[in-house]
Amino acid sequence: MTVRKKYLLAFTPENANLPVIAVLVQKFGIIPNIMQAKVNERGGRLVLDIEGDSESLENAKAHILEQGVEMKELDRHVFRDEWRCIHCGACVSICPAEAFHVDMETYEVRFNPEKCIACEACINACSPKAMKLELW
Amino acid sequence: MKRSYEEINEKLANGDAVVMTAEEVIGLVDSVGVEKAAAEVDVVTTGTFGAMCSSGAFLNFGHSDPPIKMGNIWLNDVPAYTGIAAVDCYIGASEMMEGDGEEYGGAHVIEDLIEGKAVKMRAESVGSDCYPRKEIETFVSLDTLNEAYMFNPRNAYQNYAVGVNSSPRTLFTYMGKLLPRYKNATYSSAGQLSPLLNDPQCRTVGLGTRIFLGGNEGYVSWQGTQFNTTHPTRNGVPVGNSRTLAVIGDLKGMSTDYIRALSVHNYGISIAVGIGVPIPILDEDMMRACAIKDEEIYAPVIDYSVQSRRRKTLAEVSYADLRSGTIELFDRKVKTSSLSSYPKAKAIAAELKNWLDEGRFEISRPVAPLPSESKPKPLNISTREELE
């Protein structure tokens, strides 16, 4: 069965040089779409939108974890505290992934976590502090 | 057609008044015209819910035994002002917590009090014969306070600017996060629902006007600071930040649905205040004013990367365009963000309409009008000799 999921990979400085993408493609036949890649002195992080056979995906995950790279499904990396959200719309124009849109009937702001690429741009744009990071 | 405040209140008391929101009357006037709409509708309700930094609350704690004249005071480590009587203080919404400033401030203290939470109060004093005590530390809540009333020197701005940023770096302003090179634009007005845009000359809004404030009844207590009547108008309403209201109301009875603390990144603390003003339809002119729609209200686009009070207006855009999600600026499409909440503004106008429909809220004739002419002065660096 083919599945499509988003993952956040966290590297330490020691394993930041591992060719993870190539291994995913060549060894496991998985198609990764790189949504975010950052490397600095503390290591790095990679956000991938992955499409592939579910069994290969499980094997790939096991392989990556063996190398000491953390891998977490990004189902709730950024989430919205529904009570704190006042539906202003400050997040709408600053999201590069267009994960927010205004419902033109009610003018309420809708958040689509599936579109979220975990760039965190909304976190400091949200003054009621409704957009939050899931810590891990 | 003429209608008096007394007639309207009599109809409200009898349950015969027709009350509509400022959004609803747009359609009515479109379909039946101003004359018929004015004859039909008695009161139009408005609403706004946005950041209003110039806000705060007076609190009275009651006297401890032995008593203290509070010299310095902290509420959840947020300093408040005590240069008034012994156990009175003013907690400003924008005041920041000592230490960890940007996450918590006066607005959060106010929100916590309204929410019924206990707030840690710490005060110190030099001590005196009448007030021997030098230190106190205790918890207080809205129930333990004697008086707790919001008094906001400048709220409910009649229109405001649209923020953009021409510079190469992201700016964090009170107009929100402004992306480099005009990549987004932010605005903050309820437009067609906004109180003072529906009574642009403040004919019916004046001192003593009873209003919706934070989910409770409140009153207009003065003109707001920086009250400005000098901006050019389009379709009868000013383009830019013009008139303002100073408002007062009991914190006891307010709701955090309509008062919400804000932490504006790299700027500071602010507070979202919900205000609704009922506009009595005294004649056809009032109905014409209340029928104003977003297409007819314009705001000036201002470049917030210019760090001077001499900022030029880059363009004028309508609230209909702003609310559509994109505006055109220099032949490019620019995404927009509202900073005030239109759904909350709608909810406030609807709630105020309910209060009027249920006969729980009377409209009031202003005790005195707001200034017909006023222009804010800039602050210049002056010597004593130049001023005396």
Side-chain angles (χ1 to χ4, degrees):
Chain A
M1 193 185 72
T2 307
V3 289
R4 193 171 162 186
K5 285 178 176 178
K6 271 185 283 185
Y7 284 95
L8 193 150
L9 280 67
F11 297 82
T12 62
E14 291 70 35
N15 60 30
N17 284 329
L18 286 177
V20 170
I21 303 290
V23 171
L24 283 176
V25 177
Q26 281 193 348
K27 196 167 173 185
F28 298 99
I30 281 165
I31 307 166
N33 184 11
I34 303 172
M35 312 192 78
Q36 216 192 88
K38 278 183 202 157
V39 184
N40 61 23
E41 69 281 6
R42 285 168 305 184
R45 58 186 257 163
L46 200 55
V47 176
L48 300 177
D49 191 344
I50 284 172
E51 202 177 325
D53 169 72
S54 59
E55 200 187 318
S56 311
L57 190 58
E58 284 311 308
N59 293 337
K61 234 172 100 177
H63 177 78
I64 288 171
L65 290 170
E66 263 173 41
Q67 321 260 324
V69 178
E70 283 187 77
M71 185 170 177
K72 187 206 169 202
E73 195 180 339
L74 249 190
D75 50 347
R76 234 175 87 98
H77 177 67
V78 172
F79 68 101
R80 184 164 79 172
D81 178 334
E82 295 298 331
W83 188 79
R84 280 225 73 85
C85 176
I86 60 169
H87 295 277
C88 59
C91 49
V92 177
S93 71
I94 53 87
C95 175
E98 300 192 328
F100 300 94
H101 78 274
V102 176
D103 177 330
M104 293 312 266
E105 288 285 307
T106 61
Y107 290 98
E108 286 180 358
V109 178
R110 307 272 175 244
F111 172 50
N112 182 353
E114 281 180 21
K115 283 191 168 180
C116 172
I117 57 168
C119 70
E120 303 175 13
C122 56
I123 303 294
N124 60 19
C126 177
S127 57
K129 295 283 163 234
M131 296 310 300
K132 292 181 177 171
L133 286 178
E134 182 87 346
L135 297 174
W136 62 295
Chain B
M1 199 284 301
K2 294 264 182 267
R3 194 184 273 122
S4 69
Y5 287 91
E6 292 72 21
E7 273 172 62
I8 295 172
N9 276 332
E10 205 178 305
K11 283 172 108 177
L12 285 168
N14 296 335
D16 300 332
V18 176
V19 184
M20 288 177 90
T21 69
E23 223 181 21
E24 290 166 342
V25 289
I26 293 170
L28 180 70
V29 168
D30 269 348
S31 61
V32 306
V34 169
E35 276 180 36
K36 279 192 180 167
E40 188 181 326
V41 179
D42 299 292
V43 186
V44 171
T45 61
T46 61
T48 185
F49 186 80
M52 304 187 194
C53 293
S54 188
S55 299
F58 281 103
L59 311 174
N60 178 284
F61 298 100
H63 288 281
S64 59
D65 194 16
I68 182 170
K69 183 181 188 305
M70 297 168 176
N72 295 307
I73 183 171
W74 295 264
L75 297 166
N76 283 348
D77 294 323
V78 180
Y81 181 71
T82 54
I84 32 183
V87 292
D88 285 326
C89 86
Y90 184 78
I91 175 82
S94 306
E95 188 70 55
M96 292 195 259
M97 184 185 194
E98 284 186 351
D100 184 17
E102 207 184 78
E103 293 297 309
Y104 193 94
H108 298 83
V109 172
I110 292 169
E111 188 188 300
D112 283 348
L113 284 172
I114 294 173
E115 196 63 14
K117 290 184 184 166
V119 167
K120 189 178 83 178
M121 186 266 270
R122 182 163 60 85
E124 42 182 54
S125 170
V126 290
S128 65
D129 289 342
C130 353
Y131 297 105
R133 191 178 192 126
K134 293 184 176 173
E135 278 179 357
I136 190 165
E137 186 171 326
T138 181
F139 283 87
V140 298
S141 73
L142 203 53
D143 281 342
T144 72
L145 295 172
N146 288 317
E147 288 75 20
Y149 54 94
M150 187 166 266
F151 177 72
N152 304 342
R154 183 170 69 257
N155 279 182
Y157 245 121
Q158 185 181 36
N159 211 346
Y160 211 80
V162 175
V164 293
N165 167 19
S166 68
S167 82
R169 71 179 180 94
T170 297
L171 298 180
F172 291 94
T173 71
Y174 64 76
M175 288 303 285
K177 187 171 179 176
L178 295 174
L179 302 178
R181 308 264 189 236
Y182 307 115
K183 281 282 160 32
N184 72 335
T186 59
Y187 63 102
S188 190
S189 170
Q192 62 196 15
L193 264 179
S194 185
L196 298 186
L197 288 171
N198 282 280
D199 184 2
Q201 304 292 323
C202 294
R203 268 185 68 200
T204 68
V205 185
L207 298 199
T209 297
R210 187 179 290 112
I211 61 169
F212 174 109
L213 178 61
N216 202 356
E217 266 185 33
Y219 298 86
V220 174
S221 50
W222 205 251
Q223 71 265 29
T225 52
Q226 297 173 25
F227 193 89
N228 188 346
T229 61
T230 65
H231 279 298
T233 60
R234 274 176 90 163
N235 301 312
V237 296
V239 180
N241 48 350
S242 294
R243 294 169 180 83
T244 60
L245 298 177
V247 298
I248 193 164
D250 200 342
L251 219 56
K252 300 183 185 193
M254 286 192 189
S255 157
T256 51
D257 286 342
Y258 301 112
I259 296 287
R260 200 61 73 78
L262 304 173
S263 308
V264 185
H265 186 67
N266 282 7
Y267 167 73
I269 306 293
S270 189
I271 191 165
V273 179
I275 292 181
V277 176
I279 315 275
I281 303 301
L282 302 177
D283 54 27
E284 281 151 12
D285 283 345
M286 286 315 300
M287 180 48 88
R288 200 169 286 117
C290 285
I292 192 138
K293 48 190 163 208
D294 282 344
E295 288 82 345
E296 299 163 330
I297 307 169
Y298 284 81
V301 180
I302 304 286
D303 182 358
Y304 275 74
S305 70
V306 179
Q307 294 180 334
S308 155
R309 69 181 186 224
R310 286 174 217 280
R311 292 166 173 155
K312 288 199 192 84
T313 297
L314 302 176
E316 288 179 1
V317 291
S318 79
Y319 280 94
D321 287 341
L322 287 163
R323 226 169 278 293
S324 76
T326 51
I327 54 168
E328 287 239 354
L329 194 63
F330 310 129
D331 295 324
R332 276 195 312 201
K333 284 203 179 305
V334 177
K335 282 199 238 174
T336 60
S337 270
S338 172
L339 302 175
S340 74
S341 171
Y342 197 76
K344 287 270 190 190
K346 275 169 81 120
I348 289 164
E351 181 71 9
L352 182 53
K353 176 175 146 59
N354 281 345
W355 290 359
L356 287 154
D357 281 338
E358 290 167 7
R360 287 160 53 197
F361 190 97
E362 274 199 342
I363 58 155
S364 46
R365 180 198 299 274
V367 176
L370 300 177
S372 54
E373 281 179 30
S374 179
K375 184 178 186 177
K377 292 185 275 283
L379 174 62
N380 297 317
I381 307 300
S382 309
T383 62
R384 186 191 300 275
E385 289 70 29
E386 283 170 331
L387 300 185
E388 283 179 354

